[in-house]
Amino acid sequence: PPSLCTYLVFSERYPSLLKTMVNTVNGGSGDSVAAFRQKANFMKSWKPGSAPSNRDKLELYALHKQAISGDAPDSLSTQSAAERAKYQAWRNKSGLSQAEAMRLYLQESDRQVRVYGHHQPALTDNPQQAQQTTPLNTPAAALEDSNNTDQEQQQPRGLAAIPLLCAAASESRQAYLRRLANTRVEQAWWARQEPLTAMPGSLFALPEALLIGFAALVERVSLTAEGFVPMIPIDVLRSFLWPTHNSLLSLWMAYILIATSWTAAIELSQTIVWGSRRTGLSLDTVWKEQVVWCAQSVGTLTEPHQPLTARLTGLFLWPYGLLVSLANAMGPVLWKSVFYTAFLCMTWWFWLVVLPWLGMALLCLSVLAGNCFAVIELAGA
């Protein structure tokens, strides 16, 4: 046909001009699309030197999704916490053109590669020495993927971090000292954490962010205070701060459990008043995915193999397990939800006043215990 012949002649004589015209119609340059695809493939196989934060993971996911699929839909079918976080991050990019999303994706990818670096395999054959570096399986690196098992999909992000925090709290003093001796400031464990019970940067995440910030400051002192006090070895100071580190881990676990329990109460109340269609939630889903998991996490903390600070946290929160057990005896999920919400509100003074004071007492005890461990380390030195 004449049109095909014209196209072939035009493409043969002016290939660059034709490429520019096609790219203009498609909304972006062919070079940028090729660069985007190449960078996306690279990021799939990239192994960072330190675990990126959830905020950075969500930012990269949202830009990639916007570049591939355009604006996010108005509603979300799934109710898992991980999928809601991904959807909200994607939704925040609405209105951004796909070409601009590709450009921002390239910039963000380069920034994260510069910040987190590349994973360097251990050059030693000694497994004990290889394990002394700062662990990467931190709560901030444990963003659930939608292809995980059903149990991981149902468990909220904050509660999913409880086992990791218990494992961190069970670290012995000698292991803690060895880890700090092989940790650079930019690899600090607490500095790589972020709020797990609310969107980072939001007002609701402020209390958790303050707790993490204080713990990061304590850890930074442990890493940078060598030679600050003459005649005092750095391991003595680290031994002094070791109980504080463990107490802050327990306080973080307690905050996650309390925040999750109250979030569940608010969502149950909204669903009872407004209905599932308006809130997008169901009483059964909230009960199973938040209330039941929270009660099971409290019970897990009191098990004999857990570290002392975690068991104290479980002891402080033992009334919550009793509350859920009584609510389960109410029968239908509607009456369970009403009883749970009402009883939690009536005992607000325990959760919001008594428990914070017990947390402060635990911190004071950790300072007293730190003096004992510092003396022990000084005597051994």
Side-chain angles (χ1 to χ4, degrees):
S3 59
L4 179 58
C5 294
T6 303
Y7 174 81
L8 293 175
V9 172
F10 189 85
S11 61
E12 183 178 356
R13 293 185 178 181
Y14 309 103
S16 60
L17 180 59
L18 178 63
K19 181 179 179 182
T20 302
M21 294 171 60
V22 172
N23 291 333
T24 302
V25 173
N26 291 336
S29 68
D31 292 339
S32 64
V33 173
F36 170 78
R37 292 176 178 174
Q38 183 178 4
K39 181 64 69 173
N41 291 330
F42 169 78
M43 296 303 289
K44 289 179 181 179
S45 60
W46 174 52
K47 295 182 179 180
S50 58
S53 65
N54 279 346
R55 185 185 305 177
D56 285 346
K57 287 183 177 181
L58 290 173
E59 178 70 12
L60 210 59
Y61 168 83
L63 290 172
H64 185 274
K65 197 72 174 176
Q66 185 72 15
I68 295 297
S69 305
D71 290 348
D74 295 332
S75 60
L76 180 68
S77 58
T78 183
Q79 295 295 332
S80 67
E83 288 302 311
R84 286 200 298 267
K86 292 180 180 179
Y87 170 77
Q88 188 59 44
W90 181 18
R91 188 77 183 272
N92 291 338
K93 304 299 179 185
S94 296
L96 196 66
S97 68
Q98 291 180 272
E100 182 67 10
M102 290 183 188
R103 185 184 68 81
L104 294 176
Y105 179 88
L106 294 174
Q107 289 184 357
E108 180 63 19
S109 300
D110 292 338
R111 185 193 70 83
Q112 292 195 23
V113 170
R114 289 195 305 268
V115 171
Y116 299 107
H118 297 272
H119 174 65
Q120 298 293 335
L123 300 178
T124 176
D125 296 330
N126 187 349
Q128 183 177 1
Q129 183 177 353
Q131 294 177 358
Q132 290 176 2
T133 57
T134 303
L136 298 181
N137 57 333
T138 61
L143 180 65
E144 295 88 355
D145 187 78
S146 58
N147 295 324
N148 289 344
T149 62
D150 293 339
Q151 177 176 346
E152 293 173 337
Q153 287 182 355
Q154 293 178 354
Q155 196 170 22
R157 190 163 65 107
L159 298 182
I162 295 295
L164 291 173
L165 295 176
C166 287
S170 64
E171 186 179 37
S172 67
R173 184 173 63 91
Q174 294 300 328
Y176 175 76
L177 295 178
R178 289 195 301 269
R179 179 169 65 83
L180 290 185
N182 291 275
T183 301
R184 299 191 301 269
V185 176
E186 58 271 17
Q187 290 181 322
W189 189 87
W190 277 105
R192 291 188 285 113
Q193 307 310 310
E194 64 181 14
L196 300 175
T197 58
M199 185 66 65
S202 65
L203 181 62
F204 297 104
L206 181 60
E208 193 175 0
L210 291 175
L211 189 151
I212 295 173
F214 177 72
L217 178 62
V218 172
E219 185 179 36
R220 187 175 183 85
V221 171
S222 300
L223 293 172
T224 61
E226 186 171 6
F228 182 75
V229 181
M231 306 298 295
I232 300 296
I234 185 62
D235 282 349
V236 174
L237 176 61
R238 291 171 177 172
S239 296
F240 170 75
L241 294 175
W242 173 63
T244 303
H245 164 76
N246 287 337
S247 297
L248 289 170
L249 287 170
S250 297
L251 292 181
W252 194 10
M253 287 187 281
Y255 181 86
I256 289 173
L257 293 169
I258 295 172
T260 304
S261 64
W262 279 94
T263 300
I266 293 173
E267 292 182 352
L268 290 172
S269 302
Q270 291 175 338
T271 305
I272 292 172
V273 174
W274 302 109
S276 298
R277 181 174 298 180
R278 185 167 180 177
T279 60
L281 301 170
S282 68
L283 295 178
D284 189 64
T285 298
V286 176
W287 186 264
K288 290 180 179 179
E289 293 188 5
Q290 298 189 47
V291 177
V292 172
W293 274 114
C294 195
Q296 291 179 356
S297 298
V298 171
T300 301
L301 292 179
T302 59
E303 294 177 353
H305 68 273
Q306 299 291 2
L308 177 61
T309 52
R311 294 170 68 182
L312 285 175
T313 302
L315 179 63
F316 293 160
L317 295 174
W318 176 81
Y320 182 81
L322 178 62
L323 166 61
V324 176
S325 298
L326 294 175
N328 278 325
M330 294 292 107
V333 67
L334 174 61
W335 295 115
K336 292 179 184 178
S337 304
V338 171
F339 178 85
Y340 171 85
T341 304
F343 197 86
L344 200 66
C345 291
M346 286 189 296
T347 57
W348 64 269
W349 50 271
F350 176 77
W351 313 104
L352 304 181
V353 178
V354 175
L355 287 181
W357 277 105
L358 289 175
M360 294 298 297
L362 181 62
L363 275 180
C364 294
L365 288 175
S366 68
V367 173
L368 295 177
N371 286 288
C372 299
F373 287 110
V375 171
I376 293 173
E377 181 64 28
L378 186 62

